[in-house]
Amino acid sequence: MCSEQKVDIDIKGCDILSTMLDFNQFDCGVSGINDYLLSHAVEDSSFGVSSTTVFNEYGGNDIVGFYSLSASRVVIKGKFDSETFEGYPGSRDYMEKIEVTYPAVTVDEFAVRKDMQGKQIGTKMMLRLFRTLYISHVINNVGIAAVILNARNDDRVIEFYKNRGFDFIHNDYEKIDPLGKMDTYPMMIKFKDVEEIATHLNLDFPENLYEDLL
């Protein structure tokens, strides 16, 4: 079982377009994610394709982690999803061959620098993500039904997301793919659960609601 060290490291996040932090030293252990940060994140943020937030230790100049978000939707593909969203408007309409979707936010990338993993950095980043979405939802009155992502086929990665409220969507992959043959697994957390986490942990509003949204 993956556990995190009780190390209290203060981090701060900012929009990748406004940071002067050094990207070149970042290595999360996955070359494709490293390449995204180094070669694509700035361009995607510039064009509004995906918005990246980078994190560093207070007083430090190196990135310790980052995540990228984009507007998306979650599609109800069958009985498993219908039961997951039981009670939501139209959740059973898939049986009539009607495409049912709900507004969502996709976590396109989420990574912590390899030497900082297991030190609660990822947890703090996820709570910051939840807080940011919660505040944005309230301020802008924008509907969000879920936060979705594709988790790498790695027991530690899947456990990390499960421990923070995410679960599989579309299928129970622990039953249908027990050998772990898929490269990634779609996961989600309902936004009402994000809201509950944000309020329960006192991840409340700053004095100026328009400050510190990134």
Side-chain angles (χ1 to χ4, degrees):
M1 182 174 180
C2 179
S3 61
E4 292 190 332
Q5 301 175 25
K6 298 299 183 181
V7 179
D8 190 16
I9 299 175
D10 288 332
I11 60 173
K12 62 179 179 179
C14 64
D15 183 351
I16 195 171
L17 297 180
S18 62
T19 186
M20 299 296 291
L21 298 175
D22 182 11
F23 295 2
N24 295 316
Q25 302 304 314
F26 184 83
D27 179 11
C28 69
V30 180
S31 59
I33 297 177
N34 296 337
D35 180 66
Y36 178 79
L37 178 64
L38 292 171
S39 305
H40 305 287
V42 170
E43 183 178 28
D44 282 358
S45 289
S46 297
F47 285 93
V49 176
S50 185
S51 179
T52 294
T53 300
V54 294
F55 293 83
N56 66 298
E57 288 186 70
Y58 277 96
N61 294 317
D62 295 329
I63 292 176
V64 299
F66 80 97
Y67 59 68
S68 301
L69 306 177
S70 62
S72 185
R73 61 177 185 164
V74 56
V75 181
I76 304 303
K77 293 186 175 181
K79 182 180 179 181
F80 186 88
D81 290 340
S82 177
E83 291 177 350
T84 298
F85 285 95
E86 181 70 34
Y88 282 60
S91 63
R92 292 186 175 274
D93 288 351
Y94 79 94
M95 293 185 291
E96 306 297 329
K97 306 299 182 181
I98 298 173
E99 183 178 64
V100 179
T101 66
Y102 300 120
V105 171
T106 293
V107 183
D108 297 305
E109 304 288 353
F110 189 99
V112 175
R113 202 173 71 205
K114 190 162 54 175
D115 63 312
M116 301 297 284
Q117 292 173 8
K119 298 180 180 179
Q120 301 183 355
I121 301 296
T123 296
K124 290 183 178 182
M125 288 169 49
M126 186 62 74
L127 292 178
R128 175 64 177 271
L129 188 159
F130 287 167
R131 175 181 182 270
T132 297
L133 293 179
Y134 174 49
I135 294 173
S136 181
H137 163 71
V138 172
I139 290 175
N140 299 302
N141 195 28
V142 175
I144 306 173
V147 178
I148 60 177
L149 53 82
N150 285 305
R152 286 188 299 111
N153 185 354
D154 182 316
D155 289 343
R156 296 173 303 170
V157 172
I158 292 174
E159 181 182 25
F160 172 84
Y161 289 125
K162 277 182 168 289
N163 287 342
R164 282 140 194 91
F166 287 82
D167 210 339
F168 296 125
I169 190 170
H170 306 321
N171 279 294
D172 184 348
Y173 295 101
E174 291 177 338
K175 290 183 179 179
I176 70 169
D177 186 32
L179 299 180
K181 295 181 179 180
M182 297 173 61
D183 292 331
T184 61
Y185 293 89
M187 302 184 76
M188 59 145 267
I189 180 172
K190 292 179 182 176
F191 192 75
K192 65 179 184 180
D193 294 327
V194 170
E195 190 170 9
E196 182 177 349
I197 290 170
T199 54
H200 177 70
L201 295 178
N202 295 319
L203 303 177
D204 49 8
F205 304 134
E207 290 185 13
N208 181 347
L209 293 182
Y210 297 93
E211 288 180 354
D212 198 29
L213 286 179
L214 294 174

